Amino acid sequence: MPQTTITLDHPVDFARWRNATRALVGQHVSPEAIAWHVAPSGQPDTPAPDARPFRIPRETMQLAADVLQSMLPDRFTLAYRLIYTHVTGTDIPPPDLTRMEDAAAAVRAETVHLRHDLFTLMQHTDGDDGWHATLQATTYAPECNARFMTFQLSLAPWRLVLPGRRMEWTGKELLYGQDGAAPSPIAFNSLPPPAMPLVNGLDIPRITALPAVALAARTCRICPMARHATQTVFGEGRSDARMMFVGEQPGDKEDLAGRPFVGPAGQLFDRALMEAGIDRDDAYVTNTVKHFKFRPRGTRRIHEKAGPEEIANCAPWLAAERRVIRPHVLVMLGATAASALLGRHVTIGRERSRAIKLDDGTTGVVTVHPSFLLRVPDEAARVREYDHFVADLKLAASLRTPAAP
């Protein structure tokens, strides 16, 4: 007979389910002793402080999240049982496991359908109403792909009518409600993670808002670098910048700060920009690769050069930045950036310090990466190379078209 009642705020309240599961499984409370109830409580969820910590494999937690996106009436109990049996070393009943796997398969199928047919399903309305659709969903996959839809639709408002419920992104917040009740705000992070990684199926070339591209890129887990780095380091600067600077990849300091060019090379870069008469606040600064690639050496993380696979995986993000910003001048800092953007092997000595007309009409300039200047051992040579770098930046600045009045 259930002795503990857990109240969830909405039918896909993964955040409260997870917090309660951590507390109750940590105390070895059996699935049969818990009753799950859905009703807005408005109260923060505080797990019991004496719960024992435990770790769950990513695949197991994802299966639980997928089950919570199904419409099985006992989905909260099934998902809890999955975690409980893993922690206690007991066996989950085979019929329960089969039901969970079948439910997860249905959720994955609906997720694929939603993402593949999003622009067919959603109709655009002129004005502030944005996109809208009515969908006969058989799972809660649409709710859990709300962030995907928001990114894919470039942060524009949208609304989705579903059986017995509706969901709306106003451009500022996500609203959710059952039929007959006024929708109320819910947090994206209260929902289960979607059955597919957020970036999978995203049509990046259709995203027209730079903030949407940046937010989507921060979810990217395509290459192994993303699993080791602290975070995605996306570009920053004006979306209408006339100058765009592209380096290789974030370093240790950038990985920790979440911003490009803030470490020693970034400080040298800022100084050179100032001497060249370029205001960094008027430019856009980014990297070819958005995660820090390194090898551990004791407590230090040693930079490793980005390879062709990492460059290819990050290419859609860089292309989106370039497409949205449409800079007049594109400055390639180092051979990695230049090779990626020119589509061929680049030797800095042969390509630098001249204007290069690019396919989209942008003017490109190749120069060294500022980190190169930090590695020049001889003081006189370092001064000479720095002056050459500043001269390249001045050349790039001279190629800008005049700002509109």
Side-chain angles (χ1 to χ4, degrees):
M1 191 74 173
Q3 298 176 343
T4 301
T5 298
I6 300 298
T7 300
L8 307 175
D9 275 348
H10 53 78
V12 212
D13 190 351
F14 178 71
R16 283 180 179 262
W17 173 88
R18 181 181 53 199
N19 287 345
T21 295
R22 284 173 177 164
L24 297 173
V25 169
Q27 298 173 54
H28 284 200
V29 177
S30 71
E32 292 74 20
I34 307 170
W36 301 91
H37 179 62
V38 176
S41 66
Q43 298 297 320
D45 193 17
T46 53
D50 58 346
R52 295 180 181 178
F54 55 86
R55 296 181 66 85
I56 298 295
R58 184 189 300 270
E59 296 78 10
T60 302
M61 185 56 78
Q62 185 62 58
L63 176 58
D66 293 350
V67 170
L68 293 181
Q69 296 178 60
S70 75
M71 289 192 172
L72 292 175
D74 57 343
R75 63 189 182 278
F76 299 113
T77 299
L78 284 172
Y80 179 88
R81 189 184 302 279
L82 178 66
I83 306 304
Y84 178 82
T85 55
H86 179 86
V87 172
T88 59
T90 54
D91 294 328
I92 192 166
D96 283 351
L97 183 58
T98 298
R99 291 178 66 216
M100 284 192 285
E101 290 174 342
D102 289 347
V107 167
R108 286 193 293 271
E110 194 148 84
T111 298
V112 171
H113 169 70
L114 175 65
R115 294 190 180 188
H116 183 266
D117 297 335
L118 178 63
F119 285 97
T120 302
L121 296 167
M122 302 291 270
Q123 302 298 314
H124 189 263
T125 302
D126 292 334
D128 296 333
D129 290 333
W131 299 81
H132 65 92
T134 298
L135 180 63
Q136 295 303 314
T138 59
T139 73
Y140 287 108
E143 282 90 331
C144 300
N145 282 277
R147 195 188 298 265
F148 174 92
M149 291 187 286
T150 302
F151 293 161
Q152 186 62 89
L153 299 174
S154 301
L155 304 182
W158 58 262
R159 64 185 186 277
L160 191 60
V161 177
L162 299 155
R165 63 207 195 273
R166 62 192 182 279
M167 183 168 49
E168 177 182 0
W169 165 249
T170 67
K172 294 182 178 180
E173 61 182 352
L174 184 66
L175 303 178
Y176 186 65
Q178 305 298 303
D179 283 354
S184 57
I186 63 170
F188 282 109
N189 59 9
S190 73
L191 300 164
M196 295 166 57
L198 196 56
V199 74
N200 284 20
L202 201 64
D203 189 353
I204 300 171
R206 293 191 73 152
I207 302 177
T208 58
L210 189 61
V213 179
L215 289 169
R218 293 190 179 107
T219 72
C220 187
R221 295 293 182 270
I222 292 175
C223 65
M225 285 170 54
R227 294 191 286 273
H228 302 300
T230 304
Q231 59 191 311
T232 302
V233 181
F234 203 69
E236 67 175 18
R238 296 174 60 102
S239 60
D240 60 350
R242 289 181 295 153
M243 298 189 73
M244 180 174 176
F245 296 87
V246 182
E248 180 199 335
Q249 65 166 304
D252 181 75
K253 299 295 186 184
E254 289 80 6
D255 174 70
L256 297 174
R259 297 180 55 214
F261 287 85
V262 295
Q267 294 168 22
L268 185 64
F269 176 58
D270 285 346
R271 180 180 134 205
L273 285 177
M274 184 178 64
E275 291 188 24
I278 301 169
D279 188 340
R280 177 164 169 167
D281 290 340
D282 291 334
Y284 186 85
V285 181
T286 191
N287 282 296
T288 307
V289 170
K290 311 304 185 188
H291 287 104
F292 177 36
K293 184 178 182 180
F294 63 91
R295 67 179 186 278
R297 181 185 293 171
T299 58
R300 299 176 61 203
R301 302 188 298 175
I302 307 302
H303 167 276
E304 287 195 327
K305 188 178 179 64
E309 183 177 356
E310 290 96 11
I311 293 170
N313 286 335
C314 280
W317 304 120
L318 180 58
E321 290 175 293
R322 192 174 162 191
R323 171 177 51 80
V324 173
I325 295 165
R326 300 177 64 188
H328 301 158
V329 181
L330 182 63
V331 182
M332 295 160 266
L333 303 169
T336 296
S339 297
L341 289 164
L342 296 178
R344 54 182 170 80
H345 176 72
V346 170
T347 301
I348 295 295
R350 286 202 293 263
E351 303 282 358
R352 79 180 294 187
S353 306
R354 64 184 180 90
I356 303 172
K357 189 57 68 175
L358 304 179
D359 291 342
D360 63 353
T362 304
T363 301
V365 173
V366 173
T367 187
V368 297
H369 193 284
S371 64
F372 163 77
L373 304 174
L374 297 175
R375 298 193 299 271
V376 178
D378 178 73
E379 177 65 24
R382 188 159 55 249
V383 170
R384 187 167 58 251
E385 288 292 347
Y386 177 79
D387 289 343
H388 193 177
F389 180 59
V390 172
D392 285 342
L393 299 184
K394 288 181 177 178
L395 168 65
S398 72
L399 297 171
R400 290 176 293 187
T401 56

